């Protein structure tokens, strides 16, 4: 249930992002929003405000209605389901769990492999200075990339006229700790690997980091067009994939369009406040669902408790035949004094026999 709620949150937040945020130029706000979407999706199912919800008559009535509806649905399913279908359901759940854990293990191994490959590249590279900045020169012919405080460059690919722009781009990744976003999105993707919206959200996080770095270069250099031509010049180089902040050209068209886009008005930031009602709605829905489950369980337990506690007449539970003696009847009555109704029935039987 927790995993289901978290993935529902991710899907809704991704839809919100695509609808309201993907066309503006508030790259810092977008970074904060994207990270918040992932964090809130995994936190809100754990927040318990059930006591407050129960104090609200409308919400509590909604929970009661939902519990009744769920009970009716379960009755319908139990009536329509055959014994074979009931036996298959646990088997499918077990198979689904195994598939999920296999996916988690596979992606975890992939994550660790990518992490080790970074240290392997670091070991093969040599530390040097480029324009007064420390970099790691690597022999592999790949495009520039960075990971936390490391900047990796294949120097033969770097022309003197675009060294400053490339270094500024990668230094932006390093100084703004973009690798934290990359690693977090990878970890969330491991947990929610079956959710396509999580993969799409990870792609948006990577793309926005490139927007941030491009925006920093555009604000610093005087010739923005020249920087875009340099991006096109790196299109032929081999692209690294994994946990790197890559000098990525896979979304080159989107990046160039965003660099040439007119800056969004400051009033456009107001729309980011709209994601708060969505988060509150998810929180309320989660707690109403928990209350409904409790009420449904209580409704299911009451008939069972009543049936277990219902007193039975001693005349019904104790065999009484016409050959019983009066002494046997009195003995039976003395042994069951807690059933007045049963005593009255026994005395009536005695009177009839006498």
């Amino acid at each position: 249930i927790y995993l289901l709620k978290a993935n529902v949150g991710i899907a809704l937040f991704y839809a919100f992002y695509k609808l309201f945020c993907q066309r503006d130029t508030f790259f810092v706000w977008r970074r904060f929003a994207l990270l918040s979407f992932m964090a809130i999706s995994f936190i809100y199912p754990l927040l318990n405000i059930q006591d407050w919800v129960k104090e609200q008559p409308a919400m509590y009535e909604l929970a009661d209605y939902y519990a009744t509806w769920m009970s009716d649905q379960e009755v319908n399913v139990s009536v329509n389901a055959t014994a074979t279908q009931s036996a298959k359901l646990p088997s499918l759940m077990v198979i689904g769990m195994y598939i999920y854990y296999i996916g988690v293990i596979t992606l975890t191994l992939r994550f660790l492999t990518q992490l080790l490959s970074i240290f392997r590249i670091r070991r093969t590279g040599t530390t040097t200075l480029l324009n007064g900045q420390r970099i790691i020169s690597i022999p592999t012919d790949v495009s520039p990339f960075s990971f936390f405080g490391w900047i990796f460059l294949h120097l033969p690919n770097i022309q003197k006229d675009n060294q400053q722009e490339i270094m500024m781009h990668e230094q932006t990744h390093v100084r703004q700790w973009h690798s934290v976003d990359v690693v977090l999105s990878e970890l969330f993707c491991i947990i929610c690997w079956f959710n396509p919206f999580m993969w799409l959200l990870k792609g948006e996080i990577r793309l926005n980091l490139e927007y941030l770095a491009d925006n920093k270069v555009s604000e610093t250099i005087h010739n923005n067009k020249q920087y875009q031509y340099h991006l096109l010049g790196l299109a032929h180089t081999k692209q690294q994939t994994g946990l790197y902040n890559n000098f990525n050209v896979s979304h080159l068209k989107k990046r160039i369009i965003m660099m040439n886009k007119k800056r969004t008005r400051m009033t456009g930031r107001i729309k980011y406040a709209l994601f708060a009602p969505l988060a509150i709605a998810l929180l309320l829905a989660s707690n109403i669902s928990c209350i409904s489950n409790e009420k449904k369980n209580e409704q299911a337990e009451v008939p069972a408790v009543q049936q277990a506690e219902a007193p039975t007449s001693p005349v019904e539970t104790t065999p009484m035949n016409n050959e019983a003696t009066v002494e046997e009847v009195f003995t039976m009555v003395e042994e069951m004094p807690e059933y007045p109704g049963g005593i009255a029935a026994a005395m009536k039987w005695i009177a009839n026999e006498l």
Side-chain angles (χ1 to χ4, degrees):
I1 297 298
Y2 168 78
L3 201 59
L4 177 62
K5 290 181 179 180
N7 282 275
V8 168
I10 288 172
L12 292 177
F13 283 133
Y14 175 78
F16 173 86
Y17 176 83
K18 295 295 286 185
L19 185 62
F20 293 104
C21 305
Q22 70 166 349
R23 294 181 180 86
D24 62 45
T25 57
F26 302 127
F27 306 124
V28 176
W29 285 62
R30 287 164 68 167
R31 181 189 184 190
F32 173 77
L34 288 166
L35 293 177
S36 299
F37 293 162
M38 293 192 301
I40 292 175
S41 295
F42 280 84
I43 291 175
Y44 87 88
L46 303 175
L47 300 179
N48 187 345
I49 59 170
Q50 296 180 27
D51 293 336
W52 181 84
V53 171
K54 291 177 181 178
E55 295 174 357
Q56 313 304 315
M59 295 183 184
Y60 194 69
E61 184 178 352
L62 179 61
D64 189 40
Y65 173 79
Y66 184 52
T68 305
W69 180 81
M70 285 194 302
S71 299
D72 293 341
Q73 294 299 317
E74 289 184 0
V75 170
N76 294 334
V77 170
S78 61
V79 170
N80 297 328
T82 62
T84 305
Q85 291 173 334
S86 300
K88 286 182 178 180
L89 185 59
S91 300
L92 292 175
M93 292 179 64
V94 171
I95 293 172
M97 288 176 58
Y98 279 120
I99 293 174
Y100 171 74
Y101 287 124
I102 289 173
V104 169
I105 293 172
T106 302
L107 292 177
T108 302
L109 293 175
R110 173 176 169 268
F111 174 82
L112 295 175
T113 302
Q114 292 173 347
L115 195 61
L116 290 174
S117 69
I118 297 175
F119 292 101
R120 190 181 303 114
I121 294 173
R122 173 66 183 87
R123 193 168 56 250
T124 59
T126 56
T127 304
T128 184
L129 292 178
L130 180 64
N131 296 334
Q133 299 292 328
R134 189 175 66 173
I135 65 161
I136 300 172
S137 177
I138 56 176
T140 310
D141 182 15
V142 295
S143 62
F145 65 95
S146 62
F147 183 73
F148 285 96
W150 295 334
I151 297 177
F152 299 87
L153 298 177
H154 182 61
L155 292 179
N157 284 345
I158 309 301
Q159 300 177 4
K160 291 185 178 180
D161 57 347
N162 63 355
Q163 286 180 356
Q164 181 183 359
E165 299 161 359
I166 293 175
M167 284 298 299
M168 189 177 302
H169 183 99
E170 296 303 327
Q171 285 172 357
T172 302
H173 285 313
V174 171
R175 290 170 181 170
Q176 296 182 2
W177 294 88
H178 290 177
S179 293
V180 174
D181 303 44
V182 174
V183 171
L184 286 177
S185 63
E186 288 289 340
L187 294 176
F188 281 117
C189 237
I190 291 174
I191 300 173
C192 304
W193 64 265
F194 56 88
N195 187 352
F197 295 102
M198 185 63 240
W199 293 90
L200 294 172
L201 195 64
K202 184 182 82 167
E204 294 294 338
I205 290 173
R206 290 289 190 96
L207 182 58
N208 188 63
L209 296 178
E210 295 302 319
Y211 289 159
L212 281 166
D214 290 339
N215 185 63
K216 181 65 175 179
V217 176
S218 299
E219 291 176 348
T220 306
I221 64 175
H222 300 289
N223 193 342
N224 198 26
K225 296 293 182 183
Q226 184 179 358
Y227 174 62
Q228 296 172 24
Y229 290 141
H230 291 163
L231 290 179
L232 292 172
L234 289 172
H236 69 281
T237 59
K238 180 181 178 182
Q239 300 298 305
Q240 291 288 94
T241 57
L243 303 178
Y244 322 100
N245 289 301
N246 215 24
F247 198 80
N248 202 323
V249 296
S250 60
H251 299 101
L252 188 56
K253 182 178 179 180
K254 293 181 179 180
R255 291 171 60 185
I256 292 176
I257 291 174
M258 191 60 70
M259 279 187 281
N260 291 288
K261 189 173 184 179
K262 185 179 179 180
R263 301 296 94 174
T264 309
R265 293 181 179 181
M266 300 300 290
T267 54
R269 296 180 179 179
I270 298 175
K271 63 187 176 184
Y272 283 88
L274 297 176
F275 106 89
L278 177 59
I280 293 173
L282 284 171
L283 179 60
L284 291 175
S286 175
N287 282 269
I288 288 174
S289 175
C290 292
I291 295 173
S292 299
N293 286 329
E294 291 180 1
K295 293 179 70 66
K296 180 175 66 68
N297 294 334
E298 290 174 0
Q299 292 172 2
E301 290 175 0
V302 167
V305 172
Q306 290 178 345
Q307 183 177 4
E309 295 181 352
T312 57
S313 172
V315 178
E316 296 177 356
T317 57
T318 306
M320 295 177 59
N321 51 64
N322 293 332
E323 297 180 357
T325 64
V326 175
E327 291 79 9
E328 291 175 344
V329 174
F330 276 108
T331 301
M332 178 193 70
V333 172
E334 291 174 355
E335 291 175 353
M336 302 181 184
E338 68 274 17
Y339 292 98
I343 295 174
M347 297 302 294
K348 182 179 179 180
W349 182 85
I350 293 172
N352 291 334
E353 287 298 315
L354 293 177

